[in-house]
Amino acid sequence: MAEYYYMNGSYVDAAKAMIHVHTHAFLYGTAVFEGIRAYYNEEEKQLYAFRAPEHFERLINSSKIMMMKNPHTTEEYCDIVKKLLKKNNYKENCYIRPVIYKSGRNVGPGLYDNEDSFLIITNKMGDYIDLSKGLRVCVSSWRRNSDNAIPPRAKITGSYANAALIKTDAHNAGFDDAIVLDEAGNVTEGSAMNLFLVQKNRLVTSAQTDNILIGITRNTIIELARNVLGIQVEERTIDRSELYISDEAFYCGTGAQVSPITEIDGRKLGTGETGAISKELQKLYFDVVRGKIAKYKKWCMPVY
Ligand SMILES: Cc1ncc(COP(=O)(O)O)c(C=O)c1O
């Protein structure tokens, strides 16, 4: 069956969705995007897109920072996603990537005098990190781009060159991923996911102003920890050395979901096995995203 993407206001055959080689976004990394997951609930025969409105609110904010024209309201975006997923007839977990991009072909880095366009690509998607075992990670020798260079608060395609360097060097050194410091030496996040530490039964995560993408999964974890599990959460600046003496750690993100970390720079965390709080949050998260927890069903947008 043909797969559809959304491009230039219509649902098009994925095989025919092309951009020109002179496209500004391709030449200069001038696009903003989102990554959204939809989870299939087998018992309900329902596909749920997770926190789609929040993703589109962030997309709109990214487009503001990059002075790009936002073509739709959050409600319109959600409606397009529903129609697209329905057209693709997905009956399994999948991934949705909306992109606002500089589609003009004028040469030069300026964000003016070049039009903007909007597209959505989708694909079927399983876990992209192996969640069955704890991750071994390092602290990257690369630094996260700072708010006054390429703001990490905005999800800008060009800034993922930074993530690519971080991920590749970690991989080539035999690690699963890396933890990234900012120019001041404070802990920010992973290559493309947020980070939580567990210290004395409390969660600690970097402050919103510490050069991170303010993740929707991060917000989900904070809500679930505080209001379901009764765990205190601190959002604050984190020193590198805290990483080595934390009891547990995990990554979280749309892609990473909840991925426990068991070793950082050769130091085992806690017992060296996946920690109890990480495990509990991971299980709860997977129930929430599939619409299995009544209180949080409001976060799950039904497609069918
Ligand atoms: C750099 C970065 N940080 C954090 C995240 C997590 O954000 P979210 O939970 O909204 O997917 C992502 C994307 O997944 C990311 O690319």
Side-chain angles (χ1 to χ4, degrees), residues 33-35 55 58 128 144 152 155 160 163 189-194 212-219 252-256 285:
F33 71 107
E34 276 303 316
H55 280 282
R58 190 170 65 189
Y128 84 35
R144 177 60 86 217
K155 211 163 158 64
Y160 280 77
E189 52 185 343
S191 63
M193 61 287 253
N194 291 121
I212 61 167
L213 180 75
I214 304 165
I216 285 146
T217 318
R218 174 185 181 277
N219 175 271
C252 73
T254 298
Y285 180 76

Side-chain angles (χ1 to χ4, degrees), residues 182-200:
D182 63 13
E183 289 294 355
N186 298 319
V187 171
T188 64
E189 52 185 343
S191 63
M193 61 287 253
N194 291 121
L195 174 73
F196 279 86
L197 305 175
V198 180
Q199 299 177 347
K200 296 196 190 330

